[in-house]
Amino acid sequence: MISHVKVRFAPSPTGYLHIGGARTALFNWLFARHNKGVFLLRIEDTDQQRSTEEATQAILDSMKWLGLDWDEGPYFQSQRLPVYRQYAEKLVAEGKAFYDTDAEGRKAIRFKMLDGVTEINDLIHGTITFDTSLIEDFVILKADGFPTYNFACVVDDAEMGITHIIRGDDHISNTPKQIGLYKAFGFKMPEFAHIPMILGEDGSRLSKRHGATSVTEYRDKGYLPHALVNFLALLGWSPGNDQEIISIPEMIEKFTLKRANKTSAQFNNIKLDWMNGQYIKNTPVEQLIPQVQSFFEKSGVDMSKITPGWLSDFVKLYHERFKTFQDLLNQTRFFFTDTIEYDLAAVNKFLKKEGVGELLKEAYSVISRIDTFDKKTLEDSLRALTEKLGVGFSRLAQPMRVAITGKSVSAGVFETMELLGKEKNLKRLDCAIKNLCETSAVMRSTAL
RNA sequence: GGCCCCAUCGUCUAGCCUGGUCUAGGACAACAGAUUUUCGAUCUGUGAACUGGGGUUCAAAUCCCCAUGGGGUCACCA
């Protein structure tokens, strides 16, 4: 454990919190918690054009949803303008910075970059060397009175006592400028740790065209926050063994920068889905129920007639079979609507077969006579039927599944039928029979 | 283009610092088989990588150099 650790996450509120930012925040948080240090949040809103309050809110919401609680802040740089001005003027007074007017007539303060060699002792990369004569005198205070990123960042990190700067390695090239500032002020130098970026699934920089890239999108698609955190933690860090599912306390206990990677990682939705499925399985049904309820409601499903008992059976039946709440909804829409979508391939493969219509008619009459409509009775009577007719049970089960769910893939057919209820089962069977027996038309989306 | 960073299965990674135990381990995905009323569920299994070239060394995935490839950055954006 390193003593007196203080780290920060310092996003700029120009958009939602994306996956890469979330990972940076997570590493800082984990580092702070592991070392019993302080995690601070600072909003770098020095771009008057692009900063928005909605973005700030979205970032805060995302952090909370992920469970990344901060101990200090959020501080807003826009509220510290006099501080930056004062520091900038100090440099001017000492001859380390100067006023400069550009071609457009804007007057700003520039920092005099000293020529020489600057070394960064990066905790992840080791020594990185820069020739500072290649770096121009950069603006530290803009014409609008706002500081630039490099300046505000250094002033704040120093004033706020940040000991370790953990950030994306796209900031490596900013570091010599910031070190120049630290030296000019005589500030105590922090440690730097530049973690690799997260790339899109095709290996290029993460952007909107990669689909979901923001934390809120994953939340809205029905992912569990702990699963996302677990997945993100493993992107660029490893506990050192073969463990894939790691609890937050365990992550905190094992997190060290020494085990952080240098290589950028490609995001992989498929693995995230698998991981989320693992977390779903490990979550007790009782906890899942309210989450399913609210996700379905938000998605426009009419849950008003759903009883607690039914919902409980429903979640139990699908517990091992869904990866995200959105996935669950996609799999089970046929329960909640009278207009089901038939999968054409499934219809052709199982319904449009010789003798299926007759078989379904027999099943229909058996089912219509069942009074106690539960899976046990259904199984007993339907199996008895196929035995009587001398056909394998799957000859009946498959067409029935398609007729009832519209798909060839579903949970157990009896459990599904029980949950769906007698009336709807009969309606859907009837519809299938009619389509098969009375017309040769292809079933598509059929209103029941 | 200048400067900087990086380089192990398709993907995430272990191993690298402290060369030998690596005929390179795990996970996701893929594929095959099993099971089952179906499956995107479950179980079992298979294929799959040290970017290339030089060194150093008895010995290199591990250390050094070069090449190549990928990424980042060069704003009064952050």
Side-chain angles (χ1 to χ4, degrees):
Chain A
M1 203 177 85
I2 309 167
S3 56
H4 305 306
V5 160
K6 191 168 184 183
V7 293
R8 48 53 164 194
F9 176 54
S12 75
T14 52
Y16 47 64
L17 179 63
H18 65 92
I19 290 301
R23 207 273 309 257
T24 300
L26 173 64
F27 276 29
N28 274 284
W29 184 82
L30 249 17
F31 185 75
R33 294 292 171 262
H34 176 84
N35 293 296
K36 307 240 187 306
V38 174
F39 177 56
L40 173 156
L41 183 61
R42 186 174 70 223
I43 306 297
E44 311 218 320
D45 54 350
T46 51
D47 184 336
Q48 292 197 79
Q49 262 69 52
R50 299 194 305 145
S51 297
T52 66
E53 255 175 58
E54 299 78 68
T56 301
Q57 200 49 52
I59 290 168
L60 261 35
D61 287 347
S62 297
M63 297 278 292
K64 286 177 193 160
W65 183 71
L66 289 170
L68 306 181
D69 55 330
W70 53 94
D71 309 303
E72 260 186 51
Y75 296 111
F76 292 84
Q77 292 187 323
S78 60
Q79 293 173 3
R80 296 169 46 77
L81 264 26
V83 177
Y84 308 120
R85 164 127 259 148
Q86 186 193 327
Y87 275 102
E89 292 291 0
K90 184 170 181 255
L91 287 184
V92 173
E94 291 170 0
K96 293 171 180 169
F98 59 94
Y99 277 90
D100 178 55
T101 305
D102 70 4
E104 293 167 49
R106 294 175 302 176
K107 196 178 176 209
I109 298 180
R110 279 182 190 275
F111 177 68
K112 275 187 200 163
M113 197 66 204
L114 265 28
D115 288 357
V117 172
T118 291
E119 275 194 355
I120 308 171
N121 256 310
D122 194 274
L123 259 23
I124 309 260
H125 296 275
T127 305
I128 304 171
T129 310
F130 283 93
D131 176 356
T132 57
S133 68
L134 265 24
I135 301 172
E136 62 169 5
D137 295 343
F138 58 96
V139 171
I140 56 177
L141 204 70
K142 299 185 260 186
D144 63 5
F146 277 64
T148 55
Y149 161 72
N150 282 121
F151 188 63
C153 178
V154 167
V155 169
D156 284 349
D157 283 339
E159 276 219 327
M160 296 174 186
I162 302 302
T163 60
H164 298 259
I165 295 177
I166 304 170
R167 72 210 331 181
D169 66 13
D170 49 332
H171 284 295
I172 288 182
S173 55
N174 283 321
T175 310
K177 292 181 185 172
Q178 298 182 7
I179 286 178
L181 252 12
Y182 273 97
K183 284 180 179 162
F185 283 121
F187 288 148
K188 185 174 187 301
M189 202 73 74
E191 298 282 354
F192 290 96
H194 288 97
I195 58 179
M197 312 194 66
I198 295 178
L199 273 23
E201 300 209 270
D202 58 356
S204 68
R205 186 171 196 156
L206 206 54
S207 69
K208 297 107 265 161
R209 70 191 164 76
H210 288 107
T213 53
S214 74
V215 171
T216 43
E217 280 175 277
Y218 282 96
R219 180 194 64 197
D220 296 344
K221 276 163 65 178
Y223 286 83
L224 262 21
H226 285 183
L228 223 207
V229 165
N230 193 155
F231 178 77
L232 250 23
L234 258 28
L235 232 42
W237 174 79
S238 133
N241 53 26
D242 292 338
Q243 201 177 354
E244 301 281 338
I245 306 295
I246 314 171
S247 70
I248 308 278
E250 215 172 344
M251 255 179 240
I252 290 172
E253 188 207 321
K254 294 185 175 171
F255 189 85
T256 60
L257 253 16
K258 196 178 158 73
R259 296 212 59 83
N261 262 144
K262 294 176 179 175
T263 33
S264 50
Q266 289 182 216
F267 198 83
N268 185 199
N269 280 292
I270 309 251
K271 186 162 185 180
L272 170 61
D273 282 353
W274 167 81
M275 189 165 278
N276 204 66
Q278 295 298 305
Y279 273 81
I280 297 269
K281 283 178 199 175
N282 293 334
T283 305
V285 172
E286 307 80 68
Q287 276 179 46
L288 252 18
I289 290 171
Q291 301 190 59
V292 169
Q293 168 110 26
S294 82
F295 184 86
F296 275 42
E297 277 169 357
K298 271 183 211 150
S299 306
V301 177
D302 178 12
M303 302 291 283
S304 60
K305 296 192 190 77
I306 305 295
T307 65
W310 189 92
L311 190 60
S312 173
D313 289 343
F314 172 74
V315 176
K316 269 180 205 147
L317 179 56
Y318 280 89
H319 196 190
E320 312 264 305
R321 305 182 69 95
F322 72 100
K323 296 190 184 336
T324 66
F325 293 125
Q326 181 65 57
D327 175 37
L328 176 64
L329 178 57
N330 293 344
Q331 283 191 58
T332 62
R333 273 212 165 83
F334 66 90
F335 278 113
F336 306 94
T337 174
D338 283 338
T339 311
I340 67 174
E341 294 276 329
Y342 284 94
D343 175 57
L344 221 50
V347 168
N348 288 331
K349 187 170 177 193
F350 296 109
L351 284 181
K352 295 186 162 287
K353 258 182 162 179
E354 195 64 31
V356 164
E358 301 309 315
L359 209 49
L360 289 181
K361 271 185 184 169
E362 297 277 357
Y364 183 97
S365 81
V366 167
I367 294 167
S368 65
R369 287 198 303 271
I370 294 178
D371 294 322
T372 27
F373 200 79
D374 59 28
K375 65 180 179 189
K376 172 81 167 56
T377 314
L378 279 163
E379 175 154 20
D380 289 348
S381 34
L382 258 11
R383 277 195 193 277
L385 171 68
T386 52
E387 251 173 64
K388 193 184 86 182
L389 297 174
V391 298
F393 182 68
S394 66
R395 282 282 308 280
L396 172 63
Q398 288 321 311
M400 239 173 17
R401 184 193 309 282
V402 176
I404 289 161
T405 69
K407 291 178 291 213
S408 57
V409 179
S410 80
V413 74
F414 306 118
E415 289 91 337
T416 304
M417 289 172 83
E418 183 184 333
L419 274 177
L420 189 60
K422 184 171 176 176
E423 195 190 340
K424 280 194 178 180
N425 275 300
L426 290 176
K427 274 188 186 168
R428 288 180 193 185
L429 279 174
D430 184 51
C431 166
I433 291 164
K434 281 188 180 140
N435 272 284
L436 288 171
C437 299
E438 295 170 9
T439 76
S440 56
V442 175
M443 287 172 74
R444 281 220 171 81
S445 172
T446 313
L448 289 176

